[in-house]
Amino acid sequence: MTQGERSFLKAAFHGVVAEELLAEFPQLPEEQAPEVARMLEVLETLAEQGTQPEPKLDGELPEGWLEAVAEAGIFGTLIPTEHGGLGLGRLADARVHEALGRLDPALAITVGAHSGLAATALTRAGTDSQRARLLPALARGERLAAFALTEPGMGSDAAATETLAQLATDGGGYELNGHKIWVTNGGRADVFVVFARTTRSDTDRKPALTAFLVERAPGVEVGPEITKVGVRGASTTSLRLDAARVPADALLGALGRGFKVAVEALNEGRIQVAARCLGVARRALERATERALSRHAFGRPLAGFQMIQERLAEQAAQVYALESMCTMTAGLADTGMPDYSLESAACKVFGSETALAVTDAALRIAAGVGYVEGQGWERAVRDARADLLLEGTNEVMRAFIALSGMRSPGAEMEAVERAMREPIKGFGVLSDFALSRARAVLGRERLSVAHALLKREAVHLEEAISSLGSAADRLLRRYGSAIAEEQMILGRVADAAIQIWALAATLSRTTAALNRRGEGGAARELSLAANFGAIAHRRIQHALSHLDDETDALRVHVADELCRAGGRLPPLP
């Protein structure tokens, strides 16, 4: 892989430990710390009002919350200062989104759809005129924005978009027709980033997806609030475009480059998802611990029983790892690293599944009271489920991580094959390949930046990366491009990669703590890292040792039979 595409996980798919990316654990820049502290204080003030009752109607947030968030500048954390925003980095933004998630994930989703998706798309792809006209009001929260990508029957397949944008017959811009669903902020927004085809779906041509800035006007119809299981305070609607006219300068980015606009915004959004999941998980862990200490059985607190201790310890390790990888990913993005798509996707999957696991564990520790409405335990579980779906379902994210990770090794393999046909011209390629093969034979890559007290965990990481690189090589040789259809295998590859990034970030963080405070001062961090290291090692080994599971074909057969039977099992004999 080239230096320009350097990414820790992309390097790991080559079997390479990109330890230079772990050498410095990110710290919040001193000049941004006061702004972050001020915003966190505002959110803490809202939290001090006590747990707010769940809204009776979807799309309702507690009175005054949106106004307080807007006044604090939270809608404009990522918007550049020249356009009225705070111009903060991703790490600062992640800290704020953690606090938002802790306060109310519905509020965090509202801010995230506005700033992480829509405003990010406008900031990155917009013209000077578009940014000057819209971003100041978006930064102040005077106008809210939404991101309209998903459609009925489309799922996560952007190529299946049916919304069509055609040049208006009078030459005055574009006319949009189509139907969008699951539009977060739909009921509140008056600016929509809409993705539409600019080639007809009835042609054989590859669809050209284009992004447009659409404002409320005739032909733009927002549907009623969708009743959801959780995060009810977030507004979620459909959006119908019926001969909606937009001017030519509503084009966001280049014609036919809408997929790039969407992907870049989603990469940012996934860091925010992980950060708000961290806030949710941290709050649930604190509540579970309080409950385990205060509730007694058989003459002692629940916290004195090993089964409860095991649950608390595992969830604490998960939350510690999640905070580490959120910080690491946001910090690397702030350095200008050109590609952190795999790391942000890994954060999103790990974060959403950790939030669900921790809220569920908290409910179980709460026991009967956890199953009662109004106490917050069951609501936290329902709220946490939303992030398994938002910004790409976790199933799609796993396929993305595995396929994107193996793309570069696959391209290298093709280059080697071409070079072998013309060995003189391809001498450099063959030499590089020979060196990489020699390294693989002679031994694994070494991690030298981890603290000596983390030697065992560092060895586990080295072994895992070596195994991932070997697995990618073996799978590409066996399946070639057909690996895209082996989704059970892809899921296991992605699970290993996700745990590798979580472990790498955890080692970087714990090393920084040990270097700064010594073994005595960082004893808790050391224990948490060792605990998570054992968990991650077990998960990685399981994932990579079961890549070629002989029961995969059986599972496909059973699922096919079940579908043919309409979901019904055979009757009793």
Side-chain angles (χ1 to χ4, degrees), residues 387-536:
D387 282 318
L388 302 177
L389 310 173
L390 295 172
E391 269 80 311
T393 67
N394 285 7
E395 291 75 19
V396 169
M397 288 296 94
R398 282 184 163 89
F400 167 75
I401 289 167
L403 290 173
S404 294
M406 287 193 283
R407 181 180 298 136
S408 183
E412 179 184 85
M413 201 172 292
E414 290 177 5
V416 169
E417 290 175 359
R418 287 194 301 271
M420 289 178 72
R421 290 194 292 269
E422 297 183 86
I424 302 300
K425 291 182 180 178
F427 180 76
V429 172
L430 291 173
S431 297
D432 291 344
F433 180 72
L435 286 171
S436 68
R437 292 300 93 194
R439 283 197 299 267
V441 171
L442 293 172
R444 64 178 184 269
E445 291 255 330
R446 300 292 177 177
L447 179 66
S448 63
V449 296
H451 195 280
L453 292 172
L454 297 166
K455 181 178 179 180
R456 178 182 54 191
E457 291 74 25
V459 169
H460 286 167
L461 181 62
E462 293 165 3
E463 291 173 342
I465 290 174
S466 177
S467 297
L468 180 64
S470 297
D473 183 85
R474 186 173 69 253
L475 291 171
L476 287 166
R477 291 179 186 279
R478 178 177 177 182
Y479 293 103
S481 61
I483 187 63
E485 294 302 320
E486 300 294 331
Q487 283 120 35
M488 294 185 201
I489 293 175
L490 294 178
R492 295 172 199 130
V493 170
D495 284 340
I498 291 165
Q499 295 298 319
I500 283 171
W501 181 230
L503 180 55
T506 297
L507 292 183
S508 179
R509 171 191 183 166
T510 310
T511 294
L514 287 165
N515 288 339
R516 191 167 294 119
R517 298 197 297 275
E519 184 177 356
R524 287 193 66 202
E525 286 93 334
L526 193 57
S527 296
L528 286 162
N531 192 14
F532 181 73
I535 293 169

